[in-house]
Amino acid sequence: MNPAAPAFIRGLHNLRPWHRGCVATIGSFDGVHLGHQAILRQLMDVSRYYNLPAVVIVFEPQPHEFFSGDKAPARLMRLREKVQALLAAGVSRVLCVQFNQALRNLTAEAFVERVLLDGLAIKHLVVGDDFRFGCDRRGDFALLQRLGRERGFGVTDTCTLELGGERVSSTRIRQLLEMGDFNQAENLLGRPYSISGRIAYGQQLGSKLGVPTANVHLRRYRSPLHGVFTVTVKFADGSLHSGVANVGIRPTVSGDKKPLLEVHLFDFSRRVYGAKIDVVFHSKLRDEQKFNSLDELQTQLQRDIAQGREFFQHLSAR
């Protein structure tokens, strides 16, 4: 293994001697939005100053998911997407620490000792200005500064990033997606909102209804999106295809609890099972709904397709 290569490290037990000596930041980084990107730029500056690897520490499950379960806020991205975005931003490593009862019970001081010092031997820590940690929530910037002076590591905080007088946050982006405001969500993310995944073999119901779909299992408690949308799909070969997508639990045919992403591509007939796709969302057509029959569903799907085609025709005419 090349110690200098970008890496994803799952669990403290997988840390190796060459992982010691770094600069680090800690957070959920859900969405890797503009606020997160500002923290990452600051981390990279510190990394270059010390000539040490830049490490991002994340938790799985995310702490609010550990405490709230399926009532936790929807994720903007899955762990795999998050890791890819963080490594693409230039960090050297992503350390994913399991958030379990043992970690939840650690005091702030014990967390610093076990994870930051014993595990990573950090030289410098960059944290958000509202960062809190430890079983008693005593861990904050002031405590980190004190421990840094005592144990020989530096600490820098980051200011909250605001756009248009509002804080850039994952919560705000979730609200915008729920409202169908994809333009403003893109402004806060720094890129269009998208979902990535591999196309899975489904029940073939779409084909039977004359609307074949590419299905992606989201594997999350909840999705930030629900309904029918206009989308553009990008394949690994760089090709782009327009279509419409449903994100939800398919109440007419299954009523699954976990959401599924189903994409119908216009004028597309290739077999693409197993292919990795990136689905970019443009506008919301309607909410997901339960129909009394498959005939009603089929009729509505044709309306969705017609509406989707009209959207892209207007888009190309601009």
Side-chain angles (χ1 to χ4, degrees), residues 146-158:
R146 177 176 67 79
L147 294 176
R149 288 192 297 268
E150 295 173 358
R151 301 304 305 275
F153 63 88
V155 187
T156 304
D157 69 344
T158 60

Side-chain angles (χ1 to χ4, degrees), residues 76-289:
L76 295 176
M77 54 173 43
R78 290 178 288 176
L79 177 62
R80 179 185 294 272
E81 295 170 287
K82 181 191 302 185
V83 171
Q84 290 172 342
L86 291 171
L87 294 177
V91 304
S92 305
R93 301 174 190 129
V94 178
L95 170 61
C96 180
V97 178
Q98 183 182 9
F99 198 96
N100 52 23
Q101 194 61 42
L103 190 72
R104 181 237 188 275
N105 289 338
L106 287 182
T107 64
E109 290 86 351
F111 178 87
V112 170
E113 191 70 32
R114 181 178 174 185
V115 179
L116 303 184
L117 298 178
D118 292 346
L120 292 170
I122 64 165
K123 181 69 175 179
H124 198 97
L125 183 68
V126 178
V127 292
D129 55 1
D130 58 350
F131 181 65
R132 296 290 185 276
F133 68 105
C135 63
D136 46 12
R137 300 283 290 172
R138 283 185 56 247
D140 58 10
F141 183 70
L143 178 64
L144 286 169
Q145 281 187 309
R146 177 176 67 79
L147 294 176
R149 288 192 297 268
E150 295 173 358
R151 301 304 305 275
F153 63 88
V155 187
T156 304
D157 69 344
T158 60
C159 296
T160 296
L161 180 66
E162 292 188 355
L163 284 181
E166 289 196 77
R167 181 174 181 264
V168 177
S169 69
S170 301
T171 298
R172 176 62 180 151
I173 294 168
R174 278 191 288 269
Q175 292 170 344
L176 291 169
L177 293 176
E178 188 174 344
M179 294 163 51
D181 190 344
F182 292 99
N183 288 333
Q184 185 61 13
E186 179 178 347
N187 290 338
L188 301 190
L189 284 165
R191 64 188 184 283
Y193 180 74
S194 65
I195 295 177
S196 299
R198 290 196 180 275
I199 299 174
Y201 192 83
Q203 298 175 341
Q204 304 301 297
L205 179 62
S207 296
K208 295 174 184 176
L209 295 175
V211 185
T213 59
N215 300 335
V216 176
H217 295 287
L218 300 183
R219 307 187 192 285
R220 349 181 172 196
Y221 287 125
R222 296 173 58 195
S223 168
L225 295 178
H226 302 275
V228 179
F229 305 87
T230 58
V231 298
T232 300
V233 173
K234 182 178 182 180
F235 284 85
D237 63 4
S239 61
L240 297 172
H241 301 272
S242 302
V244 292
N246 183 85
V247 183
I249 58 174
R250 306 189 301 167
T252 303
V253 297
S254 67
D256 291 336
K257 289 187 177 180
K258 289 191 176 181
L260 179 72
L261 168 60
E262 300 174 287
V263 184
H264 172 73
L265 299 176
F266 304 145
D267 308 315
F268 187 89
S269 58
R270 286 163 44 196
R271 293 179 63 84
V272 287
Y273 295 117
K276 185 178 182 300
I277 58 174
D278 189 40
V279 183
V280 178
F281 292 81
H282 300 294
S283 67
K284 185 170 183 176
L285 298 178
R286 63 176 175 85
D287 290 330
E288 187 177 43
Q289 62 190 97

Side-chain angles (χ1 to χ4, degrees), residues 8-115:
F8 173 57
I9 307 165
R10 186 183 282 276
L12 296 174
H13 61 284
N14 281 320
L15 286 173
R16 299 294 180 259
W18 59 79
H19 294 141
R20 292 174 56 79
C22 63
V23 300
T25 187
I26 308 172
S28 68
F29 287 89
D30 186 27
V32 193
H33 55 60
L34 290 182
H36 296 142
Q37 292 168 37
I39 295 174
L40 294 175
R41 285 194 297 272
Q42 190 168 341
L43 178 69
M44 299 306 297
D45 288 342
V46 176
S47 171
R48 286 187 286 269
Y49 177 82
Y50 286 107
N51 194 28
L52 287 172
V55 177
V56 175
I57 303 169
V58 298
F59 301 99
E60 190 67 25
Q62 295 177 155
H64 56 257
E65 293 172 343
F66 176 84
F67 292 109
S68 302
D70 59 5
K71 294 182 175 60
R75 288 192 184 201
L76 295 176
M77 54 173 43
R78 290 178 288 176
L79 177 62
R80 179 185 294 272
E81 295 170 287
K82 181 191 302 185
V83 171
Q84 290 172 342
L86 291 171
L87 294 177
V91 304
S92 305
R93 301 174 190 129
V94 178
L95 170 61
C96 180
V97 178
Q98 183 182 9
F99 198 96
N100 52 23
Q101 194 61 42
L103 190 72
R104 181 237 188 275
N105 289 338
L106 287 182
T107 64
E109 290 86 351
F111 178 87
V112 170
E113 191 70 32
R114 181 178 174 185
V115 179

